Amino acid sequence: MKKLKAYYNIIQGSQLTLNPRVSVLRHNGGIYLFDPITRTCASLNDAMLAFITKPNNVASLKKPFCKDLNGLMDVTKHLCELGILIAPEDAEHNVSHCMPNNSDSMMNLAIFVTTKCNLRCTYCYARGGDTEKTISKDILRLAMDHFFSTINSSTTHEKERRKTINLSIHGGGEPTVEFAILKDIVEDFCRRARAMDLKPTVGMGTNGTYDDSIHHWIIENNINVNVSLDGPHKIQNRLRPFLSGKPSYEVVIHNLQSLVKEGRRVTIRATITDEAMETMEETVELASQLGIAAVHFEPLALAGRSTSSALSRPDAEQFAETFLKCFLQGLKLDVDVYYSGMRCFEHIQQRFCSACGQNFCVTPDGNITTCFEVLESNDPAASAFFIGKVDHIQGRVVLDQMRIDKLNQRIAENMEACKGCFLRYQCAGDCPVKSFRHSNRDLYSPDHYRCHIAKRINKQLIAWLADGVIETRDVEQTRVIALNHNII
Ligand code: SF4
Ligand code: SF4
């Protein structure tokens, strides 16, 4: 009613204004509007831009400026309904009340099974295989006891909200090389979850080189796997060889095909180095041929082995350009092409990811980290992301609440560097560990490299949506409205 009242106000000659939460973007000669809350995208001409930024300018409502007064009133009504045009007193500088109700205490459980690895990827962020540490039964038991006790002591409302519970099995090594332990972890987790009337789901990141018995276990236990494959054989074999130096491409492809044959929706994750960038389109083509549903591209993270190799991150602009080409190619081939900073289709959120205090990830040493990329205590980022430890002597998990609180504070409103950015409430400052590593250990200064990619990709997607080049992914949630049709 309040929104419609704003519309009637304009009819009666009262004030209207553009909601400050809405951004006007200029891109490739076009003008676009983007509202993060309703995820409305629209393209505008100069006259319409003048109208929506100063809707009370009576001159624009008169001929010859306004070609279609009724059309303009309809558009104004629609913009008021969406909350894009508002009464000045309703201006929303802070949209946190629209954020999903994520409780800080509801943590996600992740287990890093082992640092052992059968591959020697040239860029491995965790230097997988350089050490041979596997999580012990004691650490596992104490960590699981703690995790499930926090679920048990959560409020009834949270319990009701949480009908399912997820375990992520992570790298730092290849989890399937410790298959017996991996099976025990999954069994224990599922048993404990069911005992609490929660539906367990299990996801696992893997290098995809496992044997057939593990494939059957994955299928029987409905494990959601995310397989790393960097692209066609020349790239995969160069960047991700076995410890012996042998190529890994064939075995990974065999396992991907087996998953597809079982009717699984398969995603591959491709790490893109400077050199691999030219094969990105080939990778989407390969995914289509294999029946793979999604390709997740990420530029190389400069951590671990990549810092002592000759590899480099792709140029940010070129990566964004190539990604966008792959995105369009994916639409034609029915392959979902994704990048972690591609956020304009998503609901607004306080945080970029759960590394901002919500994850509970257990390393083989018994450290509790919130970031999947920070496992070792000699990593400088451990000072920000290690939030506790399994204490053998006391037989319990000890958490550093001050560190958790600090991570929890990394929310969109607190990101000074992101104020005024059109993507602020979807991107929320981008990846916190990349901020830490690339911005002088400051969690609140985004990694400029990734920030550039995010802005470039999302701006283009908004423009494509508004211009009708691509269709909205979620008709219910992302709107494209016509503002350019000979109205003004
Ligand atoms: S990236 Fe994964 S598969 Fe490759 S060496 Fe590291 S842990 Fe092993
Ligand atoms: S990191 Fe960059 S793209 Fe993301 S919200 Fe901040 S300024 Fe915007």
Side-chain angles (χ1 to χ4, degrees):
M1 269 323 278
K2 198 172 171 190
K3 288 171 182 169
L4 279 181
K5 198 172 140 232
Y7 165 68
Y8 291 119
N9 282 348
I10 192 177
I11 295 177
Q12 290 158 13
S14 308
Q15 297 290 305
L16 270 189
T17 187
L18 183 64
N19 198 326
R21 74 181 194 211
V22 178
S23 295
V24 173
L25 312 171
R26 289 186 182 268
H27 181 65
N28 284 347
I31 309 171
Y32 302 93
L33 172 149
F34 177 62
D35 175 19
I37 305 289
T38 58
R39 283 173 295 156
T40 300
C41 307
S43 84
L44 325 172
N45 57 18
D46 283 313
M48 185 57 92
L49 175 65
F51 173 74
I52 66 151
T53 49
K54 286 198 176 93
N56 309 300
N57 179 355
V58 227
S60 65
L61 299 173
K62 291 188 181 152
K63 287 188 176 178
F65 301 103
C66 182
K67 298 171 194 152
D68 174 4
L69 186 57
N70 285 340
L72 185 63
M73 293 315 276
D74 282 349
V75 160
T76 307
K77 183 177 176 196
H78 193 35
L79 292 175
C80 288
E81 282 167 348
L82 292 170
I84 291 173
L85 286 180
I86 48 167
E89 63 270 22
D90 297 333
E92 284 180 292
H93 293 279
N94 184 327
V95 299
S96 50
H97 62 284
C98 299
M99 298 285 175
N101 184 19
N102 286 342
S103 160
D104 293 342
S105 62
M106 299 301 281
M107 289 180 161
N108 310 307
L109 178 63
I111 307 280
F112 296 89
V113 180
T114 182
T115 62
K116 292 182 189 172
C117 192
N118 54 343
L119 296 193
R120 282 299 179 279
C121 302
T122 48
Y123 53 69
C124 181
Y125 70 93
R127 298 183 190 274
D130 283 5
T131 55
E132 300 214 326
K133 295 181 283 189
T134 294
I135 197 158
S136 71
K137 284 190 172 155
D138 269 359
I139 288 177
L140 271 170
R141 181 178 48 77
L142 292 168
M144 287 253 198
D145 285 352
H146 176 88
F147 178 75
F148 279 95
S149 72
T150 61
I151 303 279
N152 210 13
S153 59
S154 61
T155 65
T156 317
H157 171 68
E158 280 172 337
K159 276 186 202 147
E160 274 169 14
R161 196 166 60 83
R162 179 160 229 167
K163 299 218 161 57
T164 61
I165 186 167
N166 185 60
L167 167 69
S168 297
I169 300 289
H170 265 276
E174 169 55 25
T176 60
V177 301
E178 288 285 19
F179 186 42
I181 293 165
L182 173 62
K183 277 200 305 191
D184 285 350
I185 294 171
V186 171
E187 267 171 39
D188 187 21
F189 175 80
C190 292
R191 188 183 45 75
R192 289 179 188 240
R194 288 189 188 109
M196 292 176 78
D197 247 355
L198 294 165
K199 184 172 176 251
T201 58
V202 182
M204 177 172 74
T206 169
N207 63 27
T209 58
Y210 48 77
D211 63 26
D212 286 349
S213 63
I214 297 177
H215 166 77
H216 295 310
W217 174 79
I218 287 170
I219 298 300
E220 275 161 23
N221 290 277
N222 202 20
I223 311 287
N224 298 311
V225 287
N226 191 321
V227 180
S228 293
L229 176 79
D230 284 352
H233 59 91
K234 53 189 176 214
I235 278 294
Q236 169 74 12
N237 291 339
R238 241 182 63 61
L239 297 179
R240 302 181 63 84
F242 278 101
L243 168 61
S244 63
K246 280 192 179 155
S248 60
Y249 181 79
E250 294 299 336
V251 61
V252 178
I253 294 293
H254 166 78
N255 281 327
L256 286 169
Q257 285 173 321
S258 304
L259 290 168
V260 171
K261 230 182 261 169
E262 295 287 347
R264 301 295 294 269
R265 188 181 191 278
V266 181
T267 298
I268 56 170
R269 188 200 191 278
T271 296
I272 302 302
T273 59
D274 194 18
E275 176 195 10
M277 195 164 46
E278 65 182 32
T279 63
M280 283 167 72
E281 286 171 88
E282 230 179 296
T283 304
V284 179
E285 181 70 46
L286 174 67
S288 162
Q289 284 164 10
L290 293 171
I292 286 164
V295 179
H296 175 179
F297 288 119
E298 277 308 308
L300 174 71
L302 292 179
R305 223 173 262 148
S306 70
T307 55
S308 48
S309 70
L311 301 171
S312 51
R313 304 209 266 195
D315 174 75
E317 182 65 19
Q318 280 176 18
F319 174 80
E321 283 290 322
T322 315
F323 174 86
L324 287 162
K325 275 191 212 155
C326 291
F327 182 85
L328 290 181
Q329 186 194 9
L331 289 181
K332 279 195 202 124
L333 299 175
D334 200 20
V335 176
D336 196 1
V337 174
Y338 179 73
Y339 162 63
S340 61
M342 188 179 98
R343 298 284 170 120
C344 62
F345 299 114
E346 294 183 14
H347 287 281
I348 61 165
Q349 55 190 5
Q350 292 274 30
R351 300 178 178 88
F352 179 78
C353 68
S354 303
C356 300
Q358 295 74 50
N359 279 342
F360 184 90
C361 316
V362 192
T363 75
D365 290 326
N367 289 307
I368 313 296
T369 173
T370 61
C371 179
F372 300 146
E373 291 185 24
V374 185
L375 295 110
E376 298 292 343
S377 45
N378 59 4
D379 181 340
S383 64
F385 295 92
F386 274 18
I387 54 160
K389 192 163 178 58
V390 175
D391 185 329
H392 292 281
I393 299 163
Q394 294 188 48
R396 66 188 181 99
V397 169
V398 182
L399 291 177
D400 180 340
Q401 196 54 46
M402 265 166 64
R403 218 173 257 179
I404 297 172
D405 292 345
K406 209 168 161 196
L407 286 165
N408 265 321
Q409 286 309 307
R410 194 190 187 268
I411 56 174
E413 289 103 70
N414 294 340
M415 297 295 299
E416 200 59 40
C418 304
K419 280 206 167 114
C421 175
F422 69 99
L423 208 54
R424 184 175 171 205
Y425 292 106
Q426 267 97 358
C427 167
D430 201 87
C431 171
V433 74
K434 306 292 189 315
S435 284
F436 185 92
R437 293 201 200 284
H438 298 286
S439 299
N440 216 7
R441 304 187 178 184
D442 178 4
L443 279 176
Y444 290 84
S445 294
D447 172 9
H448 291 301
Y449 172 87
R450 282 185 57 98
C451 176
H452 181 89
I453 294 173
K455 284 181 177 162
R456 178 74 187 84
I457 287 177
N458 289 283
K459 218 183 246 189
Q460 183 63 74
L461 292 174
I462 290 166
W464 278 342
L465 267 174
D467 290 336
V469 176
I470 59 174
E471 289 193 347
T472 148
R473 292 187 155 199
D474 179 348
V475 193
E476 291 291 309
Q477 300 297 342
T478 308
R479 292 177 183 82
V480 180
I481 55 170
L483 289 183
N484 242 358
H485 296 284
N486 288 326
I487 297 171
I488 199 168

